[in-house]
Amino acid sequence: MKTKLLYAVTVLLMLSLNGCHNNLPEYCTVKGTIKGVKDGTKLELQDSFNHCKAIETTRVKDGTFEFHPHLTTPTHVYLYVVRGEQLKDFFLEPGTIIVDVNASDKDDWAISNSTGTPSNEIFKKIDELEESGNQKAADSLKQEVIRAEQAGPLALYYAAHWNSSVEALGILDRLTPELKEIPYVDELREELTRRAKTEPALEGNVPNFFIDMTYCDADGNPVSLSSVVNNPANRYVILDFWATWCGGCVEAIPKLKEIYAKYHEKGLEIYAVAENPDVDYWKKYIKENDMVWVNVCDDKPTRKNSKAWNDYALPGIPTTLLIDGETGAIIARDCDLEAVLSTLL
């Protein structure tokens, strides 16, 4: 079974690489059905490898839609209702891509069901494996994608979200020549290089250490990360980047409260940096939700003017790091905190 799966993946990857170099007059066709929106609704494709720039628009007709984008390089795109919600994400590459959408189902946007071209077929297969609970097989398939001698758009997509920035930089080195030429790759390389400095070092390498920062707590007092890490009572510190407006962050709070209750007396502290321009709402939120650890607020949460976003090269939030209080070394980033702490405390 495993041999058949790897063979199928290899064939798809080869087809993908060969297709990427076809100079077709019409790069690809995207078409499908859509439920939950009215005929005449305007849809838009946004290029995620180009700061979500609009590529093409179309309108829904008889519950269907169709795009004919003209591109020279494969890319990852988001399908949006114009000035509305995100509907799907998938890959543009030579061929006919079938995308079926149910806009009335709030969870449909997260389902990878686009078909018809190699990258989309593999993307769909990985999503199905993860949804079925077969994470081992999904991870194996991802490894096949990123380790290809010449990596395509799917590998570039995973590079931006890969656990190890050092490995992700290796993916960029193996991209197809046409993908290497897009400005996004240079931007991602710079971001990954910075992010690699705040990740656990690979075995045998010099450790990476936390970068200090100072923000005000709910009482308006400045609190530095170093003051928390260097406190002898704190054996380990979770550095948590979050926001009240971030759905994933809010969902993670109950688990964080469990971890804090279980390990605080054993030497765990949390330094939580909220990315919130509305400071008053943040103060109310942490009080109402009994978030009793060290809370500070960055009221300028943008990549341009936030020290946190820039120093830690945050791809988004929530992002969590685990810091050794004795050495200041970063020992984990975006991991299963419960699993790691259970071996340390």
Side-chain angles (χ1 to χ4, degrees), residues 132-177:
S132 69
N134 196 345
Q135 190 61 50
K136 185 176 181 180
D139 290 342
S140 176
L141 196 45
K142 287 181 183 178
Q143 290 288 347
E144 288 294 316
V145 170
I146 69 164
R147 289 176 178 170
E149 186 174 346
Q150 280 202 321
L154 184 54
L156 177 54
Y157 169 84
Y158 285 131
H161 306 86
W162 206 245
N163 288 335
S164 168
S165 293
V166 173
E167 291 183 0
L169 287 166
I171 298 172
L172 301 189
D173 291 337
R174 295 192 302 276
L175 290 174
T176 60

Short mmCIF file of all heavy atoms in Angstrom, two decimals, residues 132-177:
data_model
loop_
_atom_site.label_atom_id
_atom_site.label_comp_id
_atom_site.label_asym_id
_atom_site.label_seq_id
_atom_site.Cartn_x
_atom_site.Cartn_y
_atom_site.Cartn_z
N SER A 132 -9.01 12.27 8.44
CA SER A 132 -9.30 10.91 8.89
C SER A 132 -8.47 10.51 10.11
O SER A 132 -8.64 9.41 10.64
CB SER A 132 -9.04 9.92 7.75
OG SER A 132 -7.64 9.84 7.47
N GLY A 133 -7.58 11.39 10.54
CA GLY A 133 -6.75 11.09 11.70
C GLY A 133 -5.45 10.39 11.37
O GLY A 133 -4.68 10.03 12.28
N ASN A 134 -5.17 10.20 10.08
CA ASN A 134 -3.94 9.50 9.67
C ASN A 134 -2.84 10.53 9.44
O ASN A 134 -2.39 10.75 8.31
CB ASN A 134 -4.20 8.69 8.41
CG ASN A 134 -3.11 7.66 8.15
OD1 ASN A 134 -2.03 7.73 8.75
ND2 ASN A 134 -3.38 6.72 7.27
N GLN A 135 -2.40 11.17 10.51
CA GLN A 135 -1.41 12.24 10.40
C GLN A 135 -0.07 11.71 9.91
O GLN A 135 0.65 12.41 9.19
CB GLN A 135 -1.23 12.93 11.75
CG GLN A 135 -0.41 14.21 11.70
CD GLN A 135 -1.03 15.27 10.83
OE1 GLN A 135 -2.23 15.58 10.97
NE2 GLN A 135 -0.26 15.85 9.93
N LYS A 136 0.27 10.48 10.28
CA LYS A 136 1.55 9.90 9.87
C LYS A 136 1.63 9.81 8.35
O LYS A 136 2.65 10.16 7.73
CB LYS A 136 1.74 8.52 10.50
CG LYS A 136 3.10 7.89 10.22
CD LYS A 136 3.25 6.58 10.96
CE LYS A 136 4.63 5.96 10.69
NZ LYS A 136 4.79 4.66 11.41
N ALA A 137 0.56 9.34 7.72
CA ALA A 137 0.54 9.22 6.26
C ALA A 137 0.53 10.60 5.62
O ALA A 137 1.16 10.81 4.58
CB ALA A 137 -0.68 8.42 5.82
N ALA A 138 -0.19 11.55 6.23
CA ALA A 138 -0.22 12.91 5.70
C ALA A 138 1.16 13.54 5.74
O ALA A 138 1.61 14.17 4.77
CB ALA A 138 -1.21 13.76 6.51
N ASP A 139 1.87 13.35 6.86
CA ASP A 139 3.22 13.90 6.99
C ASP A 139 4.18 13.26 5.99
O ASP A 139 5.06 13.93 5.44
CB ASP A 139 3.75 13.68 8.41
CG ASP A 139 3.02 14.55 9.44
OD1 ASP A 139 2.37 15.53 9.02
OD2 ASP A 139 3.11 14.25 10.64
N SER A 140 4.01 11.95 5.76
CA SER A 140 4.85 11.25 4.79
C SER A 140 4.65 11.82 3.39
O SER A 140 5.61 12.01 2.63
CB SER A 140 4.52 9.75 4.80
OG SER A 140 5.26 9.07 3.82
N LEU A 141 3.39 12.13 3.07
CA LEU A 141 3.08 12.68 1.76
C LEU A 141 3.65 14.10 1.62
O LEU A 141 4.18 14.47 0.57
CB LEU A 141 1.56 12.70 1.58
CG LEU A 141 1.00 12.88 0.16
CD1 LEU A 141 1.72 12.01 -0.85
CD2 LEU A 141 -0.50 12.58 0.17
N LYS A 142 3.58 14.88 2.69
CA LYS A 142 4.16 16.22 2.68
C LYS A 142 5.67 16.14 2.45
O LYS A 142 6.25 16.95 1.72
CB LYS A 142 3.88 16.94 3.99
CG LYS A 142 2.46 17.41 4.17
CD LYS A 142 2.29 18.13 5.50
CE LYS A 142 0.85 18.54 5.73
NZ LYS A 142 0.66 19.22 7.05
N GLN A 143 6.32 15.18 3.10
CA GLN A 143 7.76 15.01 2.94
C GLN A 143 8.11 14.71 1.49
O GLN A 143 9.12 15.20 0.96
CB GLN A 143 8.27 13.89 3.85
CG GLN A 143 8.25 14.21 5.33
CD GLN A 143 9.31 15.22 5.73
OE1 GLN A 143 10.22 15.52 4.97
NE2 GLN A 143 9.19 15.77 6.93
N GLU A 144 7.28 13.88 0.82
CA GLU A 144 7.52 13.59 -0.59
C GLU A 144 7.46 14.86 -1.43
O GLU A 144 8.25 15.07 -2.34
CB GLU A 144 6.47 12.58 -1.10
CG GLU A 144 6.65 11.18 -0.58
CD GLU A 144 7.93 10.55 -1.10
OE1 GLU A 144 8.22 10.69 -2.30
OE2 GLU A 144 8.64 9.93 -0.29
N VAL A 145 6.52 15.74 -1.06
CA VAL A 145 6.34 16.99 -1.81
C VAL A 145 7.54 17.91 -1.62
O VAL A 145 8.09 18.45 -2.59
CB VAL A 145 5.04 17.71 -1.35
CG1 VAL A 145 4.98 19.11 -1.94
CG2 VAL A 145 3.82 16.91 -1.77
N ILE A 146 7.96 18.11 -0.39
CA ILE A 146 9.01 19.11 -0.13
C ILE A 146 10.41 18.60 -0.49
O ILE A 146 11.33 19.40 -0.67
CB ILE A 146 9.00 19.58 1.34
CG1 ILE A 146 9.45 18.46 2.28
CG2 ILE A 146 7.64 20.12 1.72
CD1 ILE A 146 9.82 18.95 3.65
N ARG A 147 10.57 17.29 -0.59
CA ARG A 147 11.90 16.74 -0.89
C ARG A 147 12.12 16.49 -2.37
O ARG A 147 13.16 15.95 -2.77
CB ARG A 147 12.12 15.46 -0.09
CG ARG A 147 12.32 15.71 1.40
CD ARG A 147 12.45 14.43 2.18
NE ARG A 147 12.68 14.70 3.59
CZ ARG A 147 12.65 13.79 4.56
NH1 ARG A 147 12.40 12.53 4.25
NH2 ARG A 147 12.87 14.11 5.81
N ALA A 148 11.16 16.87 -3.18
CA ALA A 148 11.31 16.70 -4.62
C ALA A 148 12.55 17.46 -5.09
O ALA A 148 12.89 18.52 -4.58
CB ALA A 148 10.08 17.23 -5.35
N GLU A 149 13.26 16.87 -6.06
CA GLU A 149 14.50 17.48 -6.56
C GLU A 149 14.24 18.90 -7.08
O GLU A 149 15.04 19.81 -6.88
CB GLU A 149 15.09 16.62 -7.66
CG GLU A 149 16.45 17.10 -8.14
CD GLU A 149 17.08 16.15 -9.13
OE1 GLU A 149 16.61 15.00 -9.25
OE2 GLU A 149 18.05 16.56 -9.80
N GLN A 150 13.10 19.07 -7.77
CA GLN A 150 12.64 20.41 -8.13
C GLN A 150 11.24 20.58 -7.56
O GLN A 150 10.31 19.88 -7.94
CB GLN A 150 12.62 20.61 -9.65
CG GLN A 150 13.99 20.93 -10.23
CD GLN A 150 13.86 21.62 -11.57
OE1 GLN A 150 13.01 21.30 -12.38
NE2 GLN A 150 14.74 22.59 -11.81
N ALA A 151 11.11 21.50 -6.59
CA ALA A 151 9.86 21.65 -5.86
C ALA A 151 8.93 22.64 -6.55
O ALA A 151 9.37 23.65 -7.10
CB ALA A 151 10.16 22.12 -4.43
N GLY A 152 7.62 22.34 -6.50
CA GLY A 152 6.61 23.16 -7.15
C GLY A 152 5.85 24.05 -6.19
O GLY A 152 6.28 24.28 -5.05
N PRO A 153 4.68 24.56 -6.62
CA PRO A 153 3.92 25.52 -5.81
C PRO A 153 3.43 24.96 -4.48
O PRO A 153 3.34 25.69 -3.50
CB PRO A 153 2.75 25.91 -6.72
CG PRO A 153 2.63 24.79 -7.70
CD PRO A 153 4.03 24.30 -7.91
N LEU A 154 3.12 23.67 -4.44
CA LEU A 154 2.66 23.07 -3.18
C LEU A 154 3.79 23.07 -2.15
O LEU A 154 3.57 23.36 -0.98
CB LEU A 154 2.15 21.64 -3.43
CG LEU A 154 1.55 20.90 -2.23
CD1 LEU A 154 0.46 21.72 -1.57
CD2 LEU A 154 1.01 19.54 -2.68
N ALA A 155 5.00 22.77 -2.59
CA ALA A 155 6.15 22.81 -1.69
C ALA A 155 6.42 24.22 -1.19
O ALA A 155 6.75 24.44 -0.03
CB ALA A 155 7.39 22.26 -2.39
N LEU A 156 6.26 25.21 -2.09
CA LEU A 156 6.45 26.60 -1.69
C LEU A 156 5.41 27.00 -0.65
O LEU A 156 5.71 27.71 0.31
CB LEU A 156 6.35 27.51 -2.92
CG LEU A 156 6.45 29.03 -2.67
CD1 LEU A 156 7.71 29.38 -1.91
CD2 LEU A 156 6.40 29.78 -3.99
N TYR A 157 4.19 26.55 -0.81
CA TYR A 157 3.12 26.81 0.16
C TYR A 157 3.50 26.24 1.52
O TYR A 157 3.36 26.91 2.55
CB TYR A 157 1.81 26.20 -0.34
CG TYR A 157 0.70 26.18 0.68
CD1 TYR A 157 -0.11 27.29 0.87
CD2 TYR A 157 0.45 25.04 1.44
CE1 TYR A 157 -1.14 27.27 1.80
CE2 TYR A 157 -0.57 25.01 2.37
CZ TYR A 157 -1.36 26.12 2.55
OH TYR A 157 -2.38 26.10 3.48
N TYR A 158 3.98 25.00 1.54
CA TYR A 158 4.35 24.37 2.82
C TYR A 158 5.58 25.02 3.44
O TYR A 158 5.72 25.05 4.66
CB TYR A 158 4.57 22.86 2.63
CG TYR A 158 3.31 22.06 2.48
CD1 TYR A 158 3.15 21.14 1.45
CD2 TYR A 158 2.24 22.25 3.36
CE1 TYR A 158 1.98 20.42 1.31
CE2 TYR A 158 1.06 21.53 3.22
CZ TYR A 158 0.94 20.61 2.19
OH TYR A 158 -0.23 19.90 2.06
N ALA A 159 6.47 25.54 2.61
CA ALA A 159 7.68 26.19 3.15
C ALA A 159 7.33 27.33 4.09
O ALA A 159 7.99 27.53 5.12
CB ALA A 159 8.56 26.70 2.00
N ALA A 160 6.28 28.07 3.77
CA ALA A 160 5.88 29.22 4.60
C ALA A 160 5.32 28.78 5.94
O ALA A 160 5.28 29.58 6.88
CB ALA A 160 4.86 30.06 3.85
N HIS A 161 4.91 27.51 6.05
CA HIS A 161 4.27 27.02 7.28
C HIS A 161 5.05 25.87 7.92
O HIS A 161 4.56 25.24 8.85
CB HIS A 161 2.85 26.55 6.98
CG HIS A 161 1.99 27.56 6.29
ND1 HIS A 161 1.98 27.72 4.91
CD2 HIS A 161 1.14 28.51 6.77
CE1 HIS A 161 1.14 28.70 4.59
NE2 HIS A 161 0.62 29.19 5.69
N TRP A 162 6.27 25.61 7.42
CA TRP A 162 7.02 24.45 7.89
C TRP A 162 7.55 24.67 9.30
O TRP A 162 7.88 25.78 9.69
CB TRP A 162 8.17 24.16 6.93
CG TRP A 162 8.59 22.73 6.93
CD1 TRP A 162 9.79 22.22 7.33
CD2 TRP A 162 7.81 21.61 6.50
NE1 TRP A 162 9.79 20.85 7.18
CE2 TRP A 162 8.59 20.45 6.67
CE3 TRP A 162 6.52 21.48 6.00
CZ2 TRP A 162 8.12 19.17 6.35
CZ3 TRP A 162 6.05 20.22 5.68
CH2 TRP A 162 6.85 19.09 5.86
N ASN A 163 7.61 23.59 10.09
CA ASN A 163 8.04 23.70 11.49
C ASN A 163 9.47 24.21 11.62
O ASN A 163 9.78 24.98 12.53
CB ASN A 163 7.91 22.35 12.20
CG ASN A 163 6.47 21.97 12.45
OD1 ASN A 163 5.62 22.84 12.54
ND2 ASN A 163 6.19 20.69 12.56
N SER A 164 10.34 23.78 10.76
CA SER A 164 11.74 24.19 10.81
C SER A 164 12.03 25.17 9.67
O SER A 164 11.91 24.83 8.50
CB SER A 164 12.67 22.97 10.68
OG SER A 164 14.00 23.39 10.45
N SER A 165 12.40 26.39 10.04
CA SER A 165 12.72 27.38 9.02
C SER A 165 13.98 27.00 8.25
O SER A 165 14.13 27.33 7.08
CB SER A 165 12.89 28.76 9.65
OG SER A 165 11.66 29.22 10.16
N VAL A 166 14.91 26.30 8.92
CA VAL A 166 16.13 25.85 8.24
C VAL A 166 15.76 24.88 7.12
O VAL A 166 16.27 24.98 6.00
CB VAL A 166 17.10 25.19 9.24
CG1 VAL A 166 18.29 24.58 8.52
CG2 VAL A 166 17.58 26.22 10.26
N GLU A 167 14.87 23.93 7.42
CA GLU A 167 14.42 23.00 6.38
C GLU A 167 13.63 23.74 5.30
O GLU A 167 13.74 23.42 4.11
CB GLU A 167 13.56 21.91 7.01
CG GLU A 167 14.33 20.94 7.90
CD GLU A 167 13.45 19.83 8.43
OE1 GLU A 167 12.25 19.81 8.11
OE2 GLU A 167 13.96 18.97 9.17
N ALA A 168 12.83 24.72 5.71
CA ALA A 168 12.04 25.48 4.74
C ALA A 168 12.94 26.24 3.77
O ALA A 168 12.64 26.34 2.57
CB ALA A 168 11.11 26.45 5.47
N LEU A 169 14.05 26.76 4.27
CA LEU A 169 15.00 27.44 3.39
C LEU A 169 15.57 26.47 2.36
O LEU A 169 15.83 26.85 1.21
CB LEU A 169 16.13 28.07 4.22
CG LEU A 169 15.73 29.31 5.03
CD1 LEU A 169 16.80 29.64 6.06
CD2 LEU A 169 15.51 30.50 4.10
N GLY A 170 15.73 25.22 2.76
CA GLY A 170 16.18 24.20 1.82
C GLY A 170 15.17 23.95 0.72
O GLY A 170 15.53 23.67 -0.42
N ILE A 171 13.86 24.05 1.06
CA ILE A 171 12.81 23.91 0.06
C ILE A 171 12.94 25.01 -0.99
O ILE A 171 12.85 24.76 -2.20
CB ILE A 171 11.42 23.97 0.71
CG1 ILE A 171 11.22 22.82 1.71
CG2 ILE A 171 10.32 23.93 -0.36
CD1 ILE A 171 9.95 22.93 2.53
N LEU A 172 13.19 26.24 -0.54
CA LEU A 172 13.32 27.36 -1.47
C LEU A 172 14.48 27.15 -2.42
O LEU A 172 14.42 27.54 -3.59
CB LEU A 172 13.51 28.67 -0.71
CG LEU A 172 12.41 29.08 0.27
CD1 LEU A 172 12.65 30.50 0.78
CD2 LEU A 172 11.03 28.97 -0.36
N ASP A 173 15.54 26.50 -1.95
CA ASP A 173 16.71 26.25 -2.80
C ASP A 173 16.39 25.25 -3.91
O ASP A 173 17.08 25.23 -4.94
CB ASP A 173 17.87 25.71 -1.96
CG ASP A 173 18.45 26.76 -1.02
OD1 ASP A 173 18.28 27.96 -1.31
OD2 ASP A 173 19.06 26.38 -0.01
N ARG A 174 15.35 24.43 -3.72
CA ARG A 174 15.02 23.39 -4.69
C ARG A 174 13.80 23.74 -5.55
O ARG A 174 13.29 22.88 -6.27
CB ARG A 174 14.77 22.06 -3.97
CG ARG A 174 15.99 21.49 -3.27
CD ARG A 174 15.77 20.05 -2.83
NE ARG A 174 14.62 19.93 -1.94
CZ ARG A 174 14.67 20.15 -0.62
NH1 ARG A 174 15.80 20.53 -0.05
NH2 ARG A 174 13.60 20.02 0.13
N LEU A 175 13.33 24.96 -5.47
CA LEU A 175 12.17 25.36 -6.28
C LEU A 175 12.50 25.32 -7.77
O LEU A 175 13.66 25.47 -8.17
CB LEU A 175 11.71 26.76 -5.90
CG LEU A 175 11.05 26.94 -4.54
CD1 LEU A 175 10.80 28.42 -4.28
CD2 LEU A 175 9.74 26.16 -4.44
N THR A 176 11.47 25.16 -8.59
CA THR A 176 11.66 25.23 -10.04
C THR A 176 12.19 26.62 -10.40
O THR A 176 11.92 27.60 -9.70
CB THR A 176 10.35 24.98 -10.78
OG1 THR A 176 9.40 25.98 -10.39
CG2 THR A 176 9.78 23.60 -10.46
N PRO A 177 12.94 26.73 -11.49
CA PRO A 177 13.50 28.03 -11.88
C PRO A 177 12.47 29.14 -11.98
O PRO A 177 12.72 30.27 -11.57
CB PRO A 177 14.14 27.73 -13.24
CG PRO A 177 14.50 26.28 -13.18
CD PRO A 177 13.38 25.64 -12.39
#
